[in-house]
Amino acid sequence: MSSGSGSSDSSAPSRKHRRGRRRSRARCDSLDTDPQALSALGRFQTLPLELFHMVLNYLSVRDISLLSMASKAINQRLSHYISAPSGARRLLLQDFHALELPGGREGTSLLEHYKSLGLLLKRCTLLLPTRDRLKYVHKVLSEVSCFKLSGCSSPLHCLGLKCYGVLLQILTAGWDELECHRVFNFLWELSSLARKVQTVVSSKAGSARKLEVRIRLFCRRVLLNHWSQRSDAAFWLTRILKPWPIVSQARLLYIIFGPTSSLDGYVVWQKMIERPTDETSLMGLAEAIKLLYGTEAREWTADDVISLVDELSVVPQEWLVENNARLLLLSGNNICFTFLASKAVNGRAVELARLVVYIVLVCEKDLYCMDWAVKMMQKVCKVFSTPWERNNFLKCLENAFAHMLMDMLQAVLAGRHDEEDSSFLNLFHLVNAQANFHKEILYMAMRSTSSSTT
């Protein structure tokens, strides 16, 4: 018995131990396989918050944004991480001035980082109302001085506003129009843009040059440049311009899209007034006008855009007619015709004729097909309601050619040459322009005659 008892005493504990081990394994397996037994944090529940933050430092920003969608609890922990000092140091890269070339590989890498951060902020705030989302994002980004309109000491050589712009574009992609209105109003108030825009549009042109540059950079790099859809760009440009009267709209459009100095980046106000300019200086304005005239800009009528173009041609003083003509050509057929037709309808035949002559001159200088100018003149002639008005316009057109030729010839004979001898060159271009213009008219007339006889 004693041996049996000893045997039972020695074996019983081992049997109990094996049973306990099997039960322990069964419980672990059930924790691994039964989702009801897991908390919303999963295995992260066992980690202190500091260790959880250390784990996140090994993940890319895009991976963290994917993790934020795992559960509401993880989303909340990630929101805490983003606001924490360790998260801010990791996520808010601020070497915006350490790049030799903004378009270089390093600059692209920084922009990609802020695209990923925009996606992370979008997903972390997904369940919040728009106003609370904006407040949270502002709280996260508020320490980055280069994201502010006047926060950077060297804005022309800084990638900060571009990074802010791509982040904003990713954050608001897919939001409805009402939410985007709230975003714009939030930024407008946050940056005191209304007060600053009021200062530059009501002051003498160039008297607040540094503020003009800052407004230009903020509007373009943060609000306008990063949209792939024209409807989105039209929406934000409309928000910028619409609060202001037409005179201020034209001034603000010039500040944002007009020519700037290659030396210091300041807006060049006298460029359209003093001498003919090139296409590059007008391209930004022309693209903005086309954007407002397109079907994407629902809040603008054709009359609104034509009035804006008309007002733009006297900012800050009346432009040279050649620069006005070049802007019309760059703005496209529809805008050019509508602008010319408005002058025909309003009985401004002399002004219209002079503008058409300069359009012909620009076609010659910039190597546009001259038959385009002839066809545009034909379309304008159809706008006149009576044959007398049409014939009067044609007479004004020929008189405009004659007067311009005489003025240029007098300048050449008077010897008023600058270092580029532009007076003689202008005369040369105008003579060729007139000859090519009338040649196209003769070709058209001969084709019409031959087709009617056959």
Side-chain angles (χ1 to χ4, degrees):
M1 282 189 66
S2 64
S3 64
S5 170
S7 142
S8 121
D9 288 343
S10 63
S11 62
S14 64
R15 286 197 298 271
K16 286 181 182 178
H17 178 67
R18 285 196 295 272
R19 285 197 299 270
R21 190 160 50 198
R22 283 196 296 271
R23 288 193 191 103
S24 176
R25 284 201 199 100
R27 277 197 295 270
C28 287
D29 291 341
S30 68
L31 281 175
D32 285 337
T33 57
D34 185 6
Q36 299 297 326
L38 293 172
S39 74
L41 287 172
R43 296 299 187 191
F44 292 121
Q45 187 179 19
T46 61
L47 290 179
L49 193 59
E50 293 78 8
L51 287 178
F52 179 68
H53 287 183
M54 291 176 65
V55 170
L56 294 177
N57 288 334
Y58 288 92
L59 299 179
S60 70
V61 180
R62 193 167 290 272
D63 288 340
I64 296 174
S65 72
L66 290 173
L67 181 62
S68 70
M69 298 188 294
S71 70
K72 186 176 179 181
I74 288 181
N75 189 293
Q76 290 173 345
R77 279 211 175 186
L78 290 176
S79 298
H80 182 273
Y81 168 73
I82 295 169
S83 303
S86 59
R89 283 193 300 271
R90 160 83 192 286
L91 299 174
L92 298 179
L93 304 181
Q94 298 189 42
D95 46 345
F96 304 119
H97 300 266
L99 310 170
E100 294 184 2
L101 294 174
R105 185 175 62 185
E106 293 174 329
T108 303
S109 175
L110 193 60
L111 291 172
E112 289 299 322
H113 170 82
Y114 274 97
K115 283 183 181 180
S116 299
L117 181 57
L119 186 60
L120 173 58
L121 293 173
K122 185 188 190 80
R123 288 171 172 172
C124 279
T125 60
L126 196 61
L127 301 178
L128 298 177
T130 301
R131 189 178 300 277
D132 293 339
R133 296 178 86 172
L134 294 175
K135 288 180 179 178
Y136 173 79
V137 172
H138 169 60
K139 181 182 177 182
V140 171
L141 304 178
S142 60
E143 298 303 318
V144 184
S145 60
C146 290
F147 286 174
K148 300 172 184 177
L149 188 144
S150 301
C152 180
S153 59
S154 181
L156 287 169
H157 306 97
C158 177
L159 274 180
L161 292 180
K162 284 187 178 181
C163 291
Y164 190 24
V166 298
L167 185 149
L168 182 69
Q169 188 266 329
I170 295 296
L171 177 69
T172 59
W175 290 16
D176 62 34
E177 196 167 289
L178 180 59
E179 290 176 315
C180 290
H181 270 279
R182 289 173 179 159
V183 173
F184 179 80
N185 292 335
F186 184 82
L187 292 174
W188 195 257
E189 295 172 8
L190 186 67
S191 305
S192 303
L193 265 173
R195 178 174 54 82
K196 292 170 182 176
V197 169
Q198 178 65 47
T199 298
V200 296
V201 298
S202 59
S203 304
K204 182 180 177 181
S207 61
R209 295 189 302 170
K210 291 184 179 180
L211 185 56
E212 289 170 358
V213 171
R214 290 186 181 278
I215 290 173
R216 177 190 179 97
L217 293 177
F218 189 87
C219 289
R220 293 184 66 149
R221 295 181 178 180
V222 176
L223 301 177
L224 297 173
N225 283 0
H226 305 289
W227 301 105
S228 57
Q229 299 294 325
R230 290 178 62 83
S231 57
D232 292 324
F235 170 84
W236 290 98
L237 182 56
T238 299
R239 302 280 69 76
I240 294 169
L241 296 178
K242 271 297 183 180
W244 307 99
I246 185 71
V247 176
S248 299
Q249 286 178 5
R251 178 73 68 95
L252 187 53
L253 197 69
Y254 193 96
I255 289 172
I256 298 173
F257 295 104
T260 57
S261 169
S262 58
L263 298 176
D264 51 27
Y266 292 143
V267 178
V268 183
W269 289 98
Q270 302 301 314
K271 191 155 192 174
M272 306 301 172
I273 302 166
E274 294 176 343
R275 62 178 59 203
T277 188
D278 55 5
E279 290 186 348
T280 306
S281 299
L282 290 163
M283 193 62 73
L285 290 168
E287 290 299 321
I289 291 166
K290 285 194 285 189
L291 191 65
L292 297 177
Y293 192 84
T295 55
E296 300 89 355
R298 299 189 305 272
E299 298 176 54
W300 297 83
T301 65
D303 287 341
D304 290 338
V305 179
I306 296 307
S307 298
L308 183 58
V309 174
D310 207 17
E311 192 64 45
L312 185 64
S313 66
V314 293
V315 172
Q317 301 169 29
E318 188 172 356
W319 290 11
L320 294 180
V321 183
E322 182 176 332
N323 290 335
N324 198 14
R326 186 168 279 107
L327 176 64
L328 289 176
L329 263 73
L330 292 173
S331 298
N333 291 354
N334 292 334
I335 294 172
C336 184
F337 169 72
T338 306
F339 189 85
L340 297 176
S342 69
K343 293 190 180 299
V345 169
N346 292 319
R348 298 158 71 175
V350 175
E351 186 179 339
L352 172 62
R354 183 172 169 81
L355 183 54
V356 170
V357 170
Y358 273 101
I359 287 176
V360 172
L361 178 61
V362 171
C363 285
E364 176 67 24
K365 283 186 172 183
D366 297 353
L367 304 179
Y368 290 97
C369 294
M370 194 59 74
D371 64 336
W372 177 89
V374 174
K375 291 175 182 176
M376 182 62 68
M377 184 199 67
Q378 279 187 307
K379 287 181 66 177
V380 172
C381 284
K382 294 177 181 178
V383 174
F384 293 106
S385 55
T386 65
W388 182 90
E389 290 177 325
R390 183 181 65 248
N391 293 338
N392 180 59
F393 162 67
L394 294 175
K395 182 175 71 174
C396 292
L397 184 65
E398 294 305 320
N399 288 339
F401 267 117
H403 290 154
M404 284 178 59
L405 282 169
M406 291 302 298
D407 290 342
M408 290 184 182
L409 182 58
Q410 286 179 358
V412 171
L413 294 176
R416 296 197 299 269
H417 307 311
D418 56 24
E419 64 272 10
E420 297 177 354
D421 199 19
S422 61
S423 57
F424 183 80
L425 189 60
N426 282 335
L427 177 61
F428 171 80
H429 283 308
L430 183 59
V431 171
N432 279 333
Q434 185 180 31
N436 289 328
F437 181 71
H438 287 110
K439 180 181 69 176
E440 291 296 334
I441 293 175
L442 289 174
Y443 285 162
M444 191 173 296
M446 293 303 294
R447 284 195 296 268
S448 177
T449 302
S450 61
S451 61
S452 61
T453 55
T454 56

